[in-house]
Amino acid sequence: MALAASLNSVSIFFVSLVASSVLLYASYLILLHPLRKYPGPLLAKVSDWFTGFHAFKKDLHLEIFQCHQKYGPVVRVAPDRLVFNTVEALQDIYQNGRVSKAYTYGSSVRNNVDNVFTARDKDIHRARRKMIAPALTERAAKSFEPSLMEHVATYLRQVLEASKNSEPLNMTEKARHLALDIVTELSFGSPLNVQTSDENRFVSKALAFGLYRGNIWHHVFYLSRLWAYSFLDLLFFESREKYSRLLDKLIRDRVARARGKSVWWEAHFLVVAGSDTTATATSATFFYLSRNRECYRKLAQEVRSSFASAAEIKSGPQLANCRYLRACIDESLRMSPPVPGALWRSQDPDDNQPLVIDGHVIPKGMLFGISSYAIHHNEAYFPDPFAYNPERWLEPRTPGKKSAYDAFAAFSIGPRSCAGKAMAYLESSLILAKTLWYFDFETAPSTLGEVGAAKGRERAGEFHLEDIFTTRHDGPYLVFRPRGELWKDLI
Ligand code: HEM
């Protein structure tokens, strides 16, 4: 009896100790922490689980947008993290030699080998970027173009086949397969052929799972160091291991001898970086064009009057002169950015001068970033931000006024911005221009036509994205009609 009573008081003592420590720590985070003056949700001030939970729900980009609406241009979204939403902050963060990628990128490092994406050290990053740069310059994109065209032709033949009996096509699926074939050919010199065979289609799922898990770790970093890592790996071991073996084989055949070498990780990263991102850009553009018929008509007119034949649709001055095409792609990237969340950064560890971001002195050790989705919907830079309006990209610059281009962050900016931008624009321009050359298209009838439109939100005109660092999405389902006899080129 006496033992039970003393055990009871010991447990009460420990529970009270834990509860008061938690309370004390929460009070410190709210009242005394260096970021205490910044507004934000209460849970965010005391725990990483605010962003962690939304990363888990895949809606963190929407939540950050809502936070800016509610709290203003600087919001505390975790005990040690601030998100900004201005052009000044975009420059101060990403064009700043005193700022590095945050430690959270370490959660994507495998076997202690950094790649161009994870490297935080500037010298290591420079070396990695130099390694991949020759494959991604504008000139390289041009010399890769014949292979790219072959994959686009395969896609066009599939569209033609479906058009014969007005079969609706899911453009997310088409764009994903096409982009994966292109980027694997670019990285390894041989494609996975997912457009024509389903044998390797599991790769897309394996990549998406890795990105989703990594995005949660970016926000609740310690999970990457805990049991969850091995547990989830065990759960998804098979497809990940299958993917690693496939990658091993592709690389062994072409570029390197063994897994674990740095080239293995660079090639792996290029597949991650260049597949779903470009697929999002093209599927989103198809979505917006199918719903904004005036934009569709203008773009079709531009493409059909700029070239005399399909063979002329290739990189060069004629394609570069299709300014409306570029405006449509940029407007889709604005409304539905393929990397929609905050790219976390911190002050260089060896820099001890005060760091100022958009007029705010940032205490050392804090993380900060900008969500492309949020800044792309900031009314100060993009009036009527939920309207698809490619014309905004064609307006002349007004001196002294921030233009759309100043706030465009789809590829990020600065030394860590996208290395594959030229390839991404070439790929999406060719896919869209060639599709509009050969076909007319419209949204599929009935409920299929609604797939892709923002689920459960009031803005049905928006292409719905799930944030997994890059994105997942579905649709739009489109029905194609060949234009005259032009299709005969394709067979
Ligand atoms: C529309 C398509 C694309 C978008 C929107 C996009 C966006 C981005 C963004 C936002 C980053 C910065 C990530 C960060 O700071 O954490 C990035 C980095 C990168 N992207 Fe892309 N990307 C696209 C396509 C591609 C393609 C096709 C490739 C190559 C085949 C590529 C290769 C890379 C590489 C190598 C990096 C790392 C750069 C560095 O850290 O130095 N991307 N991309």
Side-chain angles (χ1 to χ4, degrees):
M1 199 70 175
L3 182 68
S6 61
L7 271 180
N8 206 13
S9 12
V10 170
S11 15
I12 290 172
F13 171 76
F14 276 110
V15 169
S16 328
L17 192 71
V18 170
S20 44
S21 308
V22 168
L23 216 67
L24 216 67
Y25 188 54
S27 313
Y28 158 76
L29 290 172
I30 295 169
L31 303 170
L32 300 170
H33 188 276
L35 298 186
R36 64 187 175 278
K37 68 172 184 182
Y38 292 98
L42 183 63
L43 177 63
K45 292 179 183 182
V46 296
S47 160
D48 285 337
W49 280 100
F50 173 74
T51 47
F53 172 66
H54 287 289
F56 176 75
K57 274 182 74 197
K58 305 179 192 167
D59 67 356
L60 186 55
H61 63 312
L62 303 176
E63 197 55 36
I64 289 180
F65 169 76
Q66 292 298 348
C67 280
H68 284 304
Q69 296 294 99
K70 189 165 175 192
Y71 299 106
V74 193
V75 182
R76 188 178 178 195
V77 289
D80 63 351
R81 298 186 195 208
L82 294 176
V83 276
F84 288 80
N85 199 26
T86 61
V87 163
E88 289 74 16
L90 186 66
Q91 290 287 332
D92 289 348
I93 295 174
Y94 299 101
Q95 285 281 18
N96 191 334
R98 296 169 53 207
V99 165
S100 315
K101 281 197 164 179
Y103 67 87
T104 54
Y105 281 83
S107 64
S108 308
V109 175
R110 293 285 160 272
N111 298 359
N112 285 327
V113 186
D114 264 317
N115 62 28
V116 65
F117 172 71
T118 58
R120 296 182 66 211
D121 179 279
K122 294 199 167 79
D123 292 332
I124 298 179
H125 171 253
R126 244 189 307 275
R128 293 281 180 268
R129 185 118 178 181
K130 219 167 140 188
M131 184 193 284
I132 58 159
L136 297 172
T137 58
E138 234 163 281
R139 198 191 300 168
K142 213 173 153 98
S143 71
F144 178 67
E145 200 171 340
S147 310
L148 202 163
M149 291 290 202
E150 292 268 308
H151 295 296
V152 175
T154 305
Y155 146 82
L156 290 168
R157 280 193 288 276
Q158 293 182 346
V159 175
L160 178 64
E161 204 46 43
S163 72
K164 287 182 186 158
N165 46 7
S166 303
E167 179 198 332
L169 285 182
N170 185 344
M171 298 313 288
T172 284
E173 203 173 274
K174 289 281 139 209
R176 197 177 277 156
H177 293 163
L178 174 54
L180 196 53
D181 275 352
I182 291 172
V183 80
T184 46
E185 169 118 34
L186 176 77
S187 309
F188 312 120
S190 63
L192 287 182
N193 292 323
V194 290
Q195 287 203 94
T196 49
S197 152
D198 54 13
E199 190 189 344
N200 293 327
R201 287 188 185 159
F202 70 91
V203 167
S204 180
K205 263 201 182 135
L207 293 179
F209 170 72
L211 282 160
Y212 173 51
R213 186 183 62 175
N215 198 37
I216 297 172
W217 289 349
H218 253 290
H219 297 94
V220 191
F221 183 71
Y222 59 80
L223 283 185
S224 66
R225 300 290 180 259
L226 291 183
W227 57 271
Y229 175 36
S230 15
F231 174 70
L232 288 174
D233 253 16
L234 216 65
L235 215 62
F236 294 89
F237 188 73
E238 205 184 315
S239 77
R240 277 174 58 79
E241 202 35 42
K242 207 165 139 194
Y243 172 57
S244 293
R245 280 199 302 272
L246 179 66
L247 217 60
D248 259 356
K249 182 178 168 334
L250 287 171
I251 295 175
R252 214 170 26 246
D253 289 352
R254 299 293 302 188
V255 280
R257 292 274 146 235
R259 192 196 288 198
K261 283 198 174 163
S262 55
V263 69
W264 196 95
W265 295 108
E266 296 308 340
H268 164 76
F269 175 67
L270 280 190
V271 177
V272 177
S275 50
D276 273 1
T277 47
T278 322
T280 304
T282 35
S283 348
T285 313
F286 277 118
F287 176 92
Y288 290 116
L289 290 174
S290 65
R291 278 156 170 82
N292 295 275
R293 298 310 281 177
E294 191 46 36
C295 304
Y296 174 96
R297 266 187 290 279
K298 276 192 191 169
L299 180 59
Q301 210 275 334
E302 180 181 79
V303 168
R304 293 166 192 173
S305 63
S306 297
F307 306 97
S309 70
E312 281 188 3
I313 306 179
K314 57 182 186 207
S315 62
Q318 274 168 291
L319 191 64
N321 275 340
C322 290
R323 291 187 63 221
Y324 200 71
L325 172 63
R326 175 66 177 256
C328 287
I329 296 171
D330 282 343
E331 184 66 347
S332 306
L333 287 169
R334 179 189 74 78
M335 286 187 70
S336 301
V339 184
L343 304 172
W344 296 110
R345 301 292 191 258
S346 59
Q347 185 172 2
D348 282 347
D350 49 4
D351 174 27
N352 293 311
Q353 297 302 308
L355 180 75
V356 180
I357 307 290
D358 193 12
H360 297 260
V361 179
I362 306 295
K364 192 117 192 243
M366 301 299 115
L367 270 52
F368 40 84
I370 282 185
S371 147
S372 63
Y373 182 86
I375 197 167
H376 286 178
H377 290 85
N378 184 335
E379 278 188 299
Y381 313 120
F382 302 102
D384 201 1
F386 288 94
Y388 186 73
N389 175 18
E391 275 73 12
R392 69 174 92 235
W393 300 98
L394 302 171
E395 284 166 11
R397 279 175 175 258
T398 316
K401 190 171 171 259
K402 299 290 179 217
S403 84
Y405 282 106
D406 295 312
F408 185 58
F411 295 94
S412 189
I413 62 167
R416 303 305 296 257
S417 67
C418 180
K421 189 169 155 183
M423 192 64 74
Y425 274 123
L426 178 63
E427 192 176 323
S428 32
S429 302
L430 289 175
I431 295 168
L432 289 157
K434 291 232 167 188
T435 306
L436 278 164
W437 178 264
Y438 286 111
F439 303 97
D440 273 307
F441 62 82
E442 60 192 14
T443 310
S446 76
T447 47
L448 263 193
E450 289 160 26
V451 175
K455 279 185 278 187
R457 291 155 64 204
E458 72 271 26
R459 297 186 191 96
E462 187 183 347
F463 187 50
H464 177 68
L465 300 178
E466 288 182 333
D467 179 358
I468 56 164
F469 191 86
T470 61
T471 62
R472 292 307 269 182
H473 41 81
D474 198 7
Y477 278 83
L478 301 180
V479 176
F480 290 83
R481 219 177 30 257
R483 287 181 61 227
E485 304 282 290
L486 293 169
W487 57 270
K488 289 186 175 162
D489 295 355
L490 294 170
I491 47 179

